[in-house]
Amino acid sequence: MTATEPAPAADSRDHVVRFDRVVKRFGGAQALAGASLTVRRGTVHGLVGQNGAGKSTLIKLLAGLHKPDEGRIEIEGRGYDRLTPHLCEELGIHFIHQDRLLVPTFTVGETLFLGRELRLGGTPFIDRSAMQRRAREILANYFGVDLPKNALISELSTAEQQIVQITRALLHQPKLLVFDEPTAALVRQEADILFRLIRRLRSEGVTIIYISHYLNEIEALCDDVTVLRNGVDVASLPMSETSANGIATLMVERDIGEMFPKRQVEFGAEILKVRHLSAANRFHDVSFTLRRGEILGITGLLGSGAKDLVRTLFGLQAATSGEIDIETKALKPRSPVEAVDHQLALVPEDRRGHGVGLDLSVRENITLSSLSRYTRFGFLDRKREGSDTDELIKRLQIKTAGREALVRTLSGGNQQKVAIAKWLSRQSEIYLLDEPTVGVDIGSKVEIYSLIGELAARGAGVIVLSSDLPELVGITDRILVLFRGRLTRELVSSQTTTDEVLSASTGAVEGLRHVG
């Protein structure tokens, strides 16, 4: 901790937090490029931006997990070179994390007072009765519930775990509460309880930073909003001067140039039909079709069920009801092996963890899922395997020292191409691409977009799950939008905009408002 000024000026106490032109770099990547944020005392301040905009980095600076490279941080008018987690608690700053960060084997009572146990007056002994009484008061006063103090955190529901986390913060009488995507895993009734709590805390003088992708929540709850894009605040204004749709417009980067290759493909027969598909607590009653030559986009926020839908199609999760037909043949994949047998292919988001074998060669990765094509009587036809591998390396323009180079030596974009080549080698018919260009450079993105277009042109059906909205609009034919577990919009890509997709995925469009 190092305060850079001895005391705050009297007129600077109108704000609790102020970031002034803060810069933060991680190696060669710049996460914040001069971002500013001012949070007025006793208000709910919305912080929004697409993935990678800089929200998480800004909050980690506030939490004392990182030190800024440049810029100024003020808390209640006093400047600090950097914050620390311990100093944040002393200053009354507490965080309600999206992942809750609770010890699953602790009881409710142990969790609430961890590190701040109440003691019997003048003794080192813990006053368990006082802790139980204080916790029960807050649980009853703010939430109207009485959680069993001996219940394990792992035994609680998602909403109950969040109540424990909020109660833990309230026990310390916070000045500032930071909510990070608090409703991502909550159902509507649970979210409504949270909204009432936030309004009450504001009325009691607690200042709140509210981070959410659900722009209808920002519109309904917040007094002010700051929009980040590419590490810079592009707008900070009262909610009375904007709307959910206005925020969506500010969030979207419009200048996408000629990244998306134009293609003209005539659709073929229906290759995939999904009818009334559901997975318990993840998504409900989803129906759609996919034709040969078509690129279908799927998007939705965290907790929307979009990723779960793709995982269910590939047999990584079980459906609880509904039907999946592949070229009129019924399929209910109970494992990825069954999905692969029906000519499905999945290129996962975490390519390094699940898409490729980093310590295997390019050749071994590409032929890994199709070794039966190169095996006869238990012997591997290495000449044919090598020839086919070289052909795919050339076709996909994989930049490598050779087919025997380890995949870990390749760039992220080329690793992604290897992950796709693996399924091309198997001659799959339906491609499920989960965030296919995440973490790759612009040049590699364009090459991958071209490759996706080639898959469709040769008659495959392609499903692209992506949170990159310009990408979705640019490369797909149709876009399905999931919101809180349900398919709420189907958009024709050539007739829509990133603004419209973002509004649909955040609940900003008419008919999706649910915040009371």
Side-chain angles (χ1 to χ4, degrees), residues 238-272:
M239 274 306 311
S240 60
E241 296 179 7
T242 187
S243 63
N245 285 326
I247 297 170
T249 299
L250 290 167
M251 286 171 60
V252 174
E253 176 65 71
R254 296 175 177 276
D255 185 16
I256 57 176
E258 296 299 320
M259 288 180 60
F260 309 113
K262 303 296 184 290
R263 63 188 187 90
Q264 295 293 329
V265 176
E266 188 172 333
F267 297 160
E270 193 175 90
I271 190 173
L272 174 69

Side-chain angles (χ1 to χ4, degrees), residues 265-317:
V265 176
E266 188 172 333
F267 297 160
E270 193 175 90
I271 190 173
L272 174 69
K273 186 169 186 177
V274 175
R275 291 175 291 183
H276 307 295
L277 194 67
S278 298
N281 301 319
R282 298 182 184 275
F283 60 86
H284 314 280
D285 196 27
V286 173
S287 299
F288 66 90
T289 61
L290 176 70
R291 299 174 68 182
R292 287 187 173 276
E294 184 179 23
I295 301 176
L296 177 67
I298 296 180
T299 194
L301 302 177
L302 182 67
S304 68
K307 190 175 290 286
D308 297 297
L309 173 60
V310 171
R311 288 174 58 83
T312 300
L313 292 176
F314 197 64
L316 290 168
Q317 292 177 188

Side-chain angles (χ1 to χ4, degrees), residues 419-465:
I420 296 173
K422 174 174 66 176
W423 298 111
L424 286 174
S425 175
R426 191 176 173 85
Q427 301 175 343
S428 301
E429 296 295 335
I430 299 173
Y431 289 81
L432 310 174
L433 308 181
D434 184 356
E435 302 286 357
T437 63
V438 66
V440 305
D441 60 78
I442 294 296
S444 295
K445 281 187 178 185
V446 174
E447 292 174 353
I448 291 172
Y449 297 151
S450 296
L451 175 58
I452 292 171
E454 289 176 18
L455 293 176
R458 74 168 182 80
V462 183
I463 293 178
V464 178
L465 171 65

Side-chain angles (χ1 to χ4, degrees), residues 118 120 126-135:
L118 300 181
L120 290 167
I126 294 176
D127 190 343
R128 297 186 183 278
S129 296
M131 291 193 300
Q132 182 178 342
R133 185 171 57 254
R134 180 73 180 123

Side-chain angles (χ1 to χ4, degrees), residues 365-434:
N365 270 278
I366 287 178
T367 60
L368 187 62
S369 64
S370 54
L371 284 174
S372 59
R373 294 181 55 212
Y374 304 105
T375 304
R376 185 176 176 83
F377 303 119
F379 293 96
L380 187 64
D381 186 344
R382 291 192 176 278
K383 183 176 180 181
R384 183 182 168 209
E385 181 195 26
S387 175
D388 286 359
T389 298
D390 289 341
E391 183 180 336
L392 283 168
I393 289 173
K394 181 178 180 181
R395 177 179 165 191
L396 273 63
Q397 301 179 53
I398 299 172
K399 297 178 178 61
T400 173
R403 72 169 87 117
E404 299 306 321
L406 296 183
V407 166
R408 74 165 56 254
T409 66
L410 275 57
S411 69
N414 285 292
Q415 289 178 2
Q416 190 75 317
K417 291 180 186 178
V418 170
I420 296 173
K422 174 174 66 176
W423 298 111
L424 286 174
S425 175
R426 191 176 173 85
Q427 301 175 343
S428 301
E429 296 295 335
I430 299 173
Y431 289 81
L432 310 174
L433 308 181
D434 184 356

Side-chain angles (χ1 to χ4, degrees), residues 190-235:
E190 295 167 344
D192 287 342
I193 293 172
L194 175 66
F195 301 146
R196 288 195 293 272
L197 170 67
I198 288 173
R199 293 186 177 107
R200 175 175 172 179
L201 291 173
R202 174 179 55 189
S203 71
E204 294 176 356
V206 179
T207 304
I208 292 167
I209 296 178
Y210 192 87
I211 305 166
S212 179
H213 284 298
Y214 296 115
L215 300 186
N216 59 331
E217 296 178 1
I218 297 292
E219 184 175 29
L221 288 172
C222 297
D223 302 292
D224 306 303
V225 62
T226 294
V227 182
L228 295 181
R229 193 172 70 216
N230 298 327
V232 178
D233 55 302
V234 294

